[in-house]
């Protein structure tokens, strides 16, 4: 089932935070027309697409949470300990970035788990996280993200905690536990504390949505909690500020299709860094509105153009749990060392080349 954009905004943005009217939404849509039509302002999780509306709704819900006095004392204590002072880090302090940044010619995958998809609302075909979490690991993902916003992604911080616990089972195994990323629409330090207490080792922040001042504050708060940060950016100015002002060295940009990959990677390549710092370039591949799997080829092109990692969201679930094109098979296919010129886009359900890559990674 598909919904028009106004209906989606009503159900996603304003659900549970007050009433509104279709006329109001239409007014906001007309004011944000450029935002919605730009492929570089669209995210697989709708974070950019609903822009200021989503941020205001989220801030309202956070305000209600804080005023309710229902926060767990552990969250309150952690918030009181937060420091906005800069925390100097070295590469050894960034295990996720190290894992994502492999040798040239390979690509790492970050699948995003969510129960609510942008275009299909809730669908029955997505398995529970207890089933999907080991599936992501066994088919070669490096980290797993959980869209911990119930209105946007259908998940909560309890799901983040469930993924962390399931991944811990794989300690000592090969492959081992995946890093867990909280990709809530983060606008307040309390969400960082919830992410930390849930066991997440990294959070996703959106520079364009937050603005410079808030992005700097939240990034430094995250560092003080010993969490890594991925910053979503869309321009050279945002990318440079994310590194220079926020201290973030993992930058993500939306890639609409293969043709836009060179321009997108050039934005991240433009960041001027010190000799000791390296930027991890992550491509957020946007989902196409069709039943094909062209996104797999997009991942290959991103790899060849210099991206180190791919953020994979809604397109993982296009085919539900089809025996061939299930999420694990799609992850396996994106990791394959296939040539864009000679290989066809097809999901691979077997281990195939992946087994050799594990051996290669160990030998490296």
């Amino acid at each position: 089932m598909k919904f028009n954009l106004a209906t989606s905004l009503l159900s996603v943005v304003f659900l549970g935070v007050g009433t509104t009217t279709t006329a109001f939404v239409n007014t906001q849509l007309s004011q944000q027309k450029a935002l919605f039509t730009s492929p570089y302002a669209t995210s697989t999780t709708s974070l950019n697409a609903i822009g200021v509306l989503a941020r205001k709704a989220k801030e309202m819900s956070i305000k209600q949470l804080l005023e309710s006095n229902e926060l767990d004392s552990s969250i309150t204590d952690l918030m009181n300990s937060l420091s906005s002072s800069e925390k100097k880090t070295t590469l050894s302090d960034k295990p996720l970035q190290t894992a994502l940044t492999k040798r040239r010619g390979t690509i790492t995958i970050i699948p995003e788990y969510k129960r609510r998809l942008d275009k299909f609302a809730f669908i029955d075909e997505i398995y529970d996280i207890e089933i999907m979490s080991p599936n992501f690991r066994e088919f070669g993902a490096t980290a797993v993200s959980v869209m911990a916003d119930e209105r946007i992604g259908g998940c909560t911080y309890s799901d983040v905690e469930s993924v962390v616990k399931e991944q811990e089972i794989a300690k000592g195994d090969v492959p081992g536990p995946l890093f867990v990323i909280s990709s809530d629409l983060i606008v307040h330090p309390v969400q960082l504390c919830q992410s930390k207490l849930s066991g997440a080792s990294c959070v996703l922040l959106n520079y364009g949505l937050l603005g410079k001042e808030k992005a700097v504050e939240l990034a430094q708060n995250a560092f003080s909690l010993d969490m890594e940060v991925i910053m979503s950016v869309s321009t050279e100015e945002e990318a440079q500020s994310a590194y220079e002002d926020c201290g973030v060295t993992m930058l993500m940009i939306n890639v609409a299709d293969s043709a836009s990959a060179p321009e997108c990677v050039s934005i991240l390549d433009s960041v001027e860094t010190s000799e000791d710092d390296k930027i991890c370039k992550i491509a957020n591949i946007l989902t196409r509105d069709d039943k094909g799997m062209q996104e797999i080829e997009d991942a290959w092109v991103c790899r060849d153009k210099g991206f180190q990692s791919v953020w994979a969201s809604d397109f993982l679930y296009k085919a539900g749990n089809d025996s061939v094109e299930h999420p694990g098979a799609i992850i396996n296919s994106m990791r394959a060392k296939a040539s864009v010129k000679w290989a066809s886009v097809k999901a691979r359900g077997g281990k195939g080349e992946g087994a050799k890559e594990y051996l290669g990674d160990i030998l490296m």
Side-chain angles (χ1 to χ4, degrees):
M1 180 181 294
K2 296 187 178 181
F3 301 89
N4 61 48
L5 192 52
T7 303
S8 298
L9 283 170
L10 281 168
S11 62
V12 174
V13 180
F14 297 101
L15 180 63
V17 295
T19 59
T20 185
T21 64
T22 303
F24 172 79
V25 173
N26 289 335
T27 299
Q28 297 299 317
L29 288 175
S30 63
Q31 293 174 351
Q32 300 288 325
K33 183 177 181 180
L35 181 64
F36 285 99
T37 55
S38 170
Y40 301 104
T42 307
S43 163
T44 55
T45 55
S46 297
L47 299 187
N48 291 350
I50 54 183
V52 66
L53 296 178
R55 176 177 175 174
K56 288 181 178 179
K58 192 67 176 183
E59 289 173 338
M60 188 181 301
S61 65
I62 293 296
K63 181 180 179 181
Q64 293 174 350
L65 174 64
L66 296 174
E67 291 177 347
S68 68
N69 295 319
E70 295 179 355
L71 279 179
D72 189 273
S73 59
S74 59
I75 297 178
T76 304
D77 293 341
L78 203 55
M79 285 186 63
N80 292 334
S81 70
L82 283 178
S83 171
S84 60
S85 61
E86 183 178 358
K87 179 182 179 181
K88 299 294 184 181
T89 58
T90 62
L91 193 60
S92 61
D93 296 321
K94 306 172 185 178
L96 173 58
Q97 180 168 348
T98 302
L100 292 178
T101 311
K102 294 188 176 181
R103 60 192 179 277
R104 186 171 180 83
T106 60
I107 195 82
T108 54
I109 311 298
I110 306 172
E112 182 177 53
Y113 179 79
K114 55 199 298 192
R115 294 190 180 92
R116 169 176 282 177
L117 305 184
D118 284 354
K119 298 181 182 299
F120 303 100
F122 284 93
I123 61 175
D124 295 334
E125 287 81 3
I126 298 182
Y127 285 138
D128 288 338
I129 191 60
E130 290 80 7
I131 297 175
M132 295 305 299
S133 178
N135 183 270
F136 292 147
R137 180 176 64 252
E138 291 163 7
F139 279 91
T142 301
V144 56
S145 167
V146 179
M147 199 337 141
D149 183 294
E150 194 165 10
R151 293 186 301 275
I152 297 176
C155 298
T156 67
Y157 287 102
S158 295
D159 292 298
V160 177
E161 188 173 357
S162 295
V163 175
V164 172
K165 289 180 179 179
E166 193 286 321
Q167 291 297 330
E168 288 177 348
I169 297 173
K171 282 186 177 179
D173 296 339
V174 177
L178 303 183
F179 295 90
V180 180
I181 303 169
S182 172
S183 61
D184 188 6
L185 176 54
I186 296 177
V187 297
H188 193 280
V190 69
Q191 296 164 277
L192 298 177
C193 296
Q194 289 174 306
S195 299
K196 178 67 176 180
L197 292 173
S198 297
S201 56
C202 178
V203 293
L204 173 67
L205 301 178
N206 188 308
Y207 189 102
L209 199 67
L210 296 170
K212 177 181 176 179
E213 183 177 351
K214 197 68 176 178
V216 170
E217 176 193 348
L218 292 175
Q220 297 308 313
N221 284 160
F223 292 150
S224 70
L225 292 171
D226 292 320
M227 288 194 295
E228 294 182 73
V229 174
I230 296 174
M231 187 76 75
S232 177
V233 299
S234 58
T235 66
E236 291 184 3
E237 292 75 19
E238 289 182 0
Q240 186 64 43
S241 179
Y243 167 73
E244 195 171 283
D245 300 314
C246 304
V248 176
T249 53
M250 289 190 289
L251 302 181
M252 183 169 76
I253 191 166
N254 296 338
V255 178
D257 50 40
S258 300
S260 65
E263 180 181 354
C264 292
V265 79
S266 69
I267 290 176
L268 303 188
D269 283 335
S270 71
V271 177
E272 298 179 1
T273 67
S274 67
E275 293 183 0
D276 297 330
D277 286 331
K278 301 291 184 182
I279 297 297
C280 177
K281 294 167 286 188
I282 304 171
N284 178 20
I285 295 181
L286 305 184
T287 302
R288 298 169 187 249
D289 192 12
D290 57 39
K291 294 183 179 180
M293 288 308 306
Q294 191 64 30
E295 295 89 350
I296 294 175
E297 183 173 317
D298 292 341
W300 296 346
V301 172
C302 287
R303 173 202 63 200
D304 295 342
K305 295 302 179 183
F307 281 100
Q308 283 101 17
S309 188
V310 161
W311 186 283
S313 189
D314 288 24
F315 68 85
L316 288 178
Y317 311 103
K318 271 187 175 183
N321 293 305
D322 181 86
S323 59
V324 176
E325 294 184 340
H326 57 83
I330 295 170
I331 292 171
N332 196 25
S333 299
M334 288 189 289
R335 294 176 60 247
K337 297 175 183 176
S339 165
V340 176
K341 182 177 181 180
W342 302 111
S344 61
V345 176
K346 185 177 181 181
R348 305 188 315 147
K351 290 294 182 182
E353 191 175 60
K356 298 177 184 177
E357 289 178 358
Y358 282 136
L359 177 60
D361 291 342
I362 293 172
L363 292 176
M364 289 297 291

